[in-house]
């Protein structure tokens, strides 16, 4: 099974900051990685698929990069609505797996 | 507009059964794979089960933690997916989400639409 490790587990940031979240996988998954945003009581939202492709309707301040075993999600110019928990996921090999999540909260 | 609405969550005793439903609208249901996830209180997202659409043979996959106890099925005539949960344990407590799978030629890119979730509480 593929394991995903996210870092940091939480980050405090201010509106306008740049935030970078890292996801490391236990084996090479090429570019088969997705990123999600999850707010309490809401449905998770797909942000990025195939490591760097922006899902339709997602603001361009979100970007993803990486391949193999190391991936990053970057949020440029953090907005108030971006405070949430972010998860990476390897979606293409069973069992599907998520990282442990990164909480982005207000400094 | 694509919508997924889960229902059927409840408070149940350990060892009992429960069936969740995921009612879909806004897309051609039979053409899509669907999947179930859950989130235990204070924990992250966990994959539960997966069902392929007609183009890929309506086959299923399960997480090890639920295999043999949970069954995913679908009724394409009603645009509903189901999660039948048997022999429930306290560790099955959580919010259960269904999601539509974004895939191309059976390569899964991610889950592009999710429901709001339904809460299952299993108590002893």
């Amino acid at each position: 099974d593929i394991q995903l490790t996210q870092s940091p587990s939480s980050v405090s940031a201010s509106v306008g900051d740049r935030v970078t979240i890292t996801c490391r996988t236990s084996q090479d998954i090429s570019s088969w990685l997705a990123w999600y945003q999850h707010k309490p009581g809401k449905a998770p939202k797909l942000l990025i698929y195939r490591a760097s492709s922006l899902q339709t309707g997602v603001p361009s301040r979100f970007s993803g990069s990486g391949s193999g075993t190391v991936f990053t999600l970057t949020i440029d110019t953090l907005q108030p609505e971006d405070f949430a928990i972010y998860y990476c996921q390897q979606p293409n090999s069973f069992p599907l797996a998520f990282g442990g999540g990164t909480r982005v909260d207000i400094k | 507009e694509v919508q997924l609405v889960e229902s059927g969550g409840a408070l149940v005793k350990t060892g009992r059964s429960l069936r969740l439903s995921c009612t879909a609208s806004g897309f051609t249901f039979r053409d899509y794979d669907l999947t179930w996830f859950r989130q235990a209180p204070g924990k992250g997202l966990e994959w539960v089960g997966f069902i392929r659409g007609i183009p890929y043979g309506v086959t299923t996959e399960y997480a090890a933690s639920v295999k043999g106890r949970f069954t995913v099925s679908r009724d394409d005539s009603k645009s509903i997916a189901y999660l039948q949960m048997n022999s429930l344990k306290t560790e099955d407590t959580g919010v259960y989400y269904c999601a539509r799978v974004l895939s191309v030629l059976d390569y899964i890119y991610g889950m592009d639409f999710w429901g709001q979730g339904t809460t299952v509480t299993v108590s002893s």
Side-chain angles (χ1 to χ4, degrees):
Chain A
D1 297 359
I2 300 170
Q3 314 297 323
L4 288 78
T5 303
Q6 282 182 238
S7 60
S9 57
S10 65
V11 57
S12 294
S14 301
V15 172
D17 285 353
R18 184 186 213 202
V19 172
T20 298
I21 300 167
T22 300
C23 179
R24 290 181 168 81
T25 60
S26 59
Q27 51 186 274
D28 188 333
I29 60 169
S30 183
S31 297
W32 294 106
L33 191 97
W35 289 97
Y36 299 85
Q37 177 192 68
H38 193 197
K39 297 180 181 180
K42 302 286 190 180
K45 177 182 179 182
L46 176 65
L47 300 174
I48 302 285
Y49 61 91
R50 287 288 273 154
S52 60
S53 295
L54 196 67
Q55 172 66 350
T56 303
V58 174
S60 59
R61 63 181 179 273
F62 291 92
S63 63
S65 64
S67 67
T69 62
V70 183
F71 303 85
T72 60
L73 172 71
T74 299
I75 312 171
D76 279 318
T77 317
L78 200 67
Q79 297 299 301
E81 61 267 30
D82 299 337
F83 293 98
I85 300 175
Y86 293 84
Y87 294 93
C88 58
Q89 180 205 36
Q90 71 82 13
N92 199 50
S93 172
F94 293 103
L96 308 185
F98 290 91
T102 296
R103 181 183 300 274
V104 178
D105 58 24
I106 302 172
K107 182 184 286 184
Chain B
E1 178 192 9
V2 172
Q3 283 197 313
L4 297 166
V5 179
E6 302 93 340
S7 60
L11 169 63
V12 296
K13 295 285 191 184
T14 54
R16 303 299 292 268
S17 298
L18 196 63
R19 188 178 79 163
L20 306 183
S21 300
C22 171
T23 302
S25 59
F27 63 101
T28 306
F29 185 80
R30 65 179 179 270
D31 289 344
Y32 284 84
D33 303 340
L34 295 157
T35 190
W36 288 90
F37 298 93
R38 66 186 179 185
Q39 184 173 34
K43 302 293 186 182
L45 295 170
E46 178 190 15
W47 171 66
V48 173
F50 184 102
I51 186 164
R52 295 177 180 83
I54 285 178
Y56 298 102
V58 198
T59 53
T60 54
E61 307 282 349
Y62 297 96
S65 58
V66 306
K67 195 169 186 177
R69 299 188 299 122
F70 288 15
T71 302
V72 182
S73 61
R74 60 191 298 157
D75 184 338
D76 290 342
S77 69
K78 297 180 180 178
S79 297
I80 301 177
Y82 300 100
L83 179 65
Q84 177 67 43
M85 304 185 294
N86 298 331
S87 303
L88 281 161
K89 306 175 181 181
T90 55
E91 52 264 43
D92 295 319
T93 293
V95 178
Y96 283 72
Y97 299 94
C98 65
R100 190 180 82 166
V101 177
L102 173 65
S103 64
V104 177
L105 297 175
D106 207 29
Y107 288 95
I108 302 168
Y109 285 26
M111 285 76 215
D112 60 352
F113 288 94
W114 296 62
Q116 299 270 19
T118 187
T119 300
V120 173
T121 304
V122 185
S123 72
S124 56

